[in-house]
């Protein structure tokens, strides 16, 4: 018997052919309709989400997981606004990446084209459902959405609203489909659907991502966990540094671009450590520090595991380093290659840091929280890639396309 996932993938494949030929106006009309549908169905979506949140809380889910799961009217409005912003962005399909006329007179163009069918495997966050559907539709891709069972009611309500809007706008509703989350087998089937699914994008914790990367026969774009560092250099403006560290750690703890580790140059440690520890503790943060940090009240000892941890909570690892090179070595050892930041007024130090640190985003005198598709002006993102092939960093519309060569001749033969 054909599995339900294969049936969904076959329907997505069939629908993707028409979507690849859709005009920007058609896709933008669908995106606007999808945004309107989220608002029109707000009560139903929030009621479904309340079921998921209550189930998670009853099951003892950690606060950061519940925060990722929870929708509010403001967050739902933000999801709708994200779809509208995607509608306002240029259509990547058909963009000429490069072109030339060869010596023999052949006209050569490399143009952006959709992948075809994209599979999304993700945890908890129901906002990803709308973001992924919108970005895939605008880039001409059908999408198979496999969220977590913890968000099953929310995702079902969101996808129902989106599919109805897509159909009302004149496109095939099967370009957006929800893969059942009632069994782990559906994840495995999606990972084995090579030939029907063109690319998989996992978004979630380290275990999920590792499983998809290692077990999938479908090509994978790896989105990584965020063990993000802030390094306060000897030439830092300490007022700037304090604001950046507190923002990077506490503005929203449950996201992958929140800072998880703090490094401070020894030359400014005496002046900065009391200030930053007090500010973090006032915000409810537990500091896991080395011996220098442990000299301050309330700091708990840090282990190797702490320095490698993506906490996603009000915790941060911290260490004093003797120089810039030591900071870079620490980051190379423990970083997940997501986002690192340096706070410094020394241009040479900033340049060396940005050249030597190999992460998807490196920031100078700015919070790690800026590594985000919306903040970068890409509109809603589908994830932040920490791999080095095809796409790296926040993945917007261009990253959701491949390319093909169009060669035009006039009776040319070889």
């Amino acid at each position: 018997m054909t599995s339900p996932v294969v049936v969904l993938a076959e329907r997505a494949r069939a629908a993707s052919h028409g979507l690849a030929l859709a005009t920007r106006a058609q896709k933008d009309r669908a995106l606007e309709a999808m945004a309107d549908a989220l608002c029109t169905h707000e009560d139903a979506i929030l009621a479904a989400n309340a079921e998921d949140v209550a189930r998670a809380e009853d099951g003892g889910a950690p606060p950061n997981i519940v925060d990722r799961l929870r929708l509010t009217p403001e967050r739902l409005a933000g999801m709708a606004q994200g779809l509208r912003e995607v509608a306002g962005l240029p259509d990547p399909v058909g963009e000429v990446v490069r072109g030339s006329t060869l010596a023999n007179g052949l006209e050569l163009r490399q143009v952006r084209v959709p992948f075809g069918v994209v599979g999304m495997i993700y945890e908890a966050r129901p906002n990803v459902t709308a973001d992924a559907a919108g970005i895939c539709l605008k880039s001409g891709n059908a999408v198979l959405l496999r969220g977590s069972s913890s968000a099953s009611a929310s995702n079902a309500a969101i996808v129902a609203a989106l599919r109805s809007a897509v159909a009302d706008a004149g496109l095939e509703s099967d370009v957006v489909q929800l893969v059942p989350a009632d069994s782990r087998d559906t994840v495995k089937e999606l990972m084995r659907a090579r030939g029907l699914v063109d690319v998989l994008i996992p978004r979630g914790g380290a275990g999920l991502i590792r499983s998809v990367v290692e077990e999938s026969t479908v090509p994978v774009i790896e989105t990584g966990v965020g063990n993000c560092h802030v390094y306060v250099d000897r030439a830092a403006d300490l007022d700037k540094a304090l604001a950046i560290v507190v923002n990077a750690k506490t503005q929203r703890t449950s996201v992958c671009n929140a800072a998880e580790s703090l490094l401070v140059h020894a030359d400014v440690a005496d002046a900065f450590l009391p200030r930053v520890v007090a500010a973090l503790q006032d915000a409810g943060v537990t500091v896991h520090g080395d011996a220098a940090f442990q000299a301050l009240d309330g700091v708990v000892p840090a282990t190797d595991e702490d320095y490698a941890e993506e906490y996603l909570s009000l915790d941060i690892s911290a260490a004093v380093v003797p120089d810039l090179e030591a900071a870079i070595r620490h980051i190379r050892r423990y970083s997940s290659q997501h986002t690192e930041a340096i706070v410094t007024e020394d241009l040479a130090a900033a340049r060396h840091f940005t050249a030597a640190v190999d992460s998807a985003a490196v920031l100078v005198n700015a919070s790690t929280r800026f590594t985000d598709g919306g903040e970068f002006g890409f509109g809603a993102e589908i994830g932040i890639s920490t791999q080095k092939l095809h796409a790296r960093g926040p993945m917007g519309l261009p990253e959701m396309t491949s390319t093909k060569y169009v060669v035009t001749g006039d009776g040319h033969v070889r």
Side-chain angles (χ1 to χ4, degrees), residues 101-388:
T101 300
L102 304 181
N104 61 6
L106 284 174
E107 294 180 356
L108 176 71
R109 289 179 296 135
Q110 183 184 17
V111 299
R112 293 197 183 279
V113 295
F115 287 124
V117 178
V118 174
M120 284 289 300
I121 301 174
Y122 55 104
E123 295 175 336
R125 293 182 185 172
N127 66 291
V128 173
T129 303
D131 290 349
I135 291 175
C136 286
L137 188 145
K138 180 68 178 251
S139 55
N141 297 292
V143 64
L144 296 170
L145 299 158
R146 205 295 188 177
S148 62
S149 59
S150 63
S152 58
S154 305
N155 289 337
I158 292 168
V159 170
L162 297 180
R163 282 173 56 85
S164 175
V166 169
D168 289 344
L171 297 177
E172 293 185 59
S173 59
D174 282 345
V175 298
V176 179
Q177 296 190 74
L178 185 65
V179 175
D182 53 355
S183 167
R184 292 181 181 271
D185 290 342
T186 59
V187 174
K188 295 179 181 178
E189 291 169 10
L190 194 55
M191 291 191 295
R192 302 287 193 276
R194 190 178 182 94
L196 290 174
V197 178
D198 295 288
V199 65
L200 278 181
I201 302 175
R203 213 176 137 169
L208 168 71
I209 294 168
R210 187 181 310 112
S211 173
V212 174
V213 169
E214 293 177 355
E215 299 179 29
S216 177
T217 62
V218 176
V220 176
I221 299 178
E222 182 176 354
T223 63
V225 297
N227 183 14
C228 305
H229 295 73
V230 178
Y231 165 59
V232 179
D233 187 47
R234 64 185 297 180
D237 178 318
L238 298 187
D239 291 333
K240 285 183 187 177
L242 186 65
I244 288 169
V245 171
V246 172
N247 178 266
K249 177 67 260 182
T250 69
Q251 196 263 342
R252 191 175 178 191
T253 58
S254 64
V255 289
C256 61
N257 58 15
E260 305 289 20
S261 191
L262 169 64
L263 303 174
V264 179
H265 195 293
D267 288 359
V268 295
D270 289 346
F272 189 63
L273 264 57
R275 294 181 64 188
V276 73
V277 169
L280 289 169
Q281 290 175 340
D282 285 346
V285 178
T286 298
V287 180
H288 304 251
D290 65 359
F293 274 90
Q294 289 172 47
L296 299 168
D297 290 341
V299 175
V300 300
T303 63
D304 269 1
E305 289 74 18
D306 284 310
Y307 290 122
E309 183 72 17
E310 183 190 34
Y311 290 110
L312 301 174
S313 62
L314 286 170
D315 295 86
I316 193 168
S317 64
V320 172
V321 292
D323 52 36
L324 173 61
E325 291 299 333
I328 292 169
R329 287 195 299 272
H330 182 104
I331 291 169
R332 285 174 177 166
R333 178 176 179 183
Y334 295 107
S335 171
S336 62
Q337 296 185 302
H338 187 295
T339 299
E340 329 299 343
I342 182 174
V343 186
T344 187
E345 301 300 309
D346 182 340
L347 180 59
R351 285 177 172 169
H352 183 68
F353 186 87
T354 58
V357 170
D358 184 20
S359 292
V362 185
L363 289 79
V364 178
N365 293 329
S367 169
T368 59
R369 288 284 288 118
F370 283 105
T371 303
D372 174 85
E375 295 294 332
F376 281 11
F378 301 162
E381 70 184 30
I382 205 158
I384 296 176
S385 170
T386 56
Q387 66 177 26
K388 298 184 181 181

Side-chain angles (χ1 to χ4, degrees), residues 41-54 71 76 153-154 157:
H41 295 87
E42 175 181 314
D43 291 345
I45 293 170
L46 292 181
N49 181 250
E51 295 177 20
D52 290 332
V53 170
L71 290 177
L76 194 59
S154 305

Side-chain angles (χ1 to χ4, degrees), residues 391-409:
R392 197 178 193 197
M395 292 189 292
L397 295 173
E399 287 74 27
M400 294 307 297
T401 62
S402 183
T403 64
K404 69 180 176 185
Y405 288 94
V406 178
V407 183
T408 305

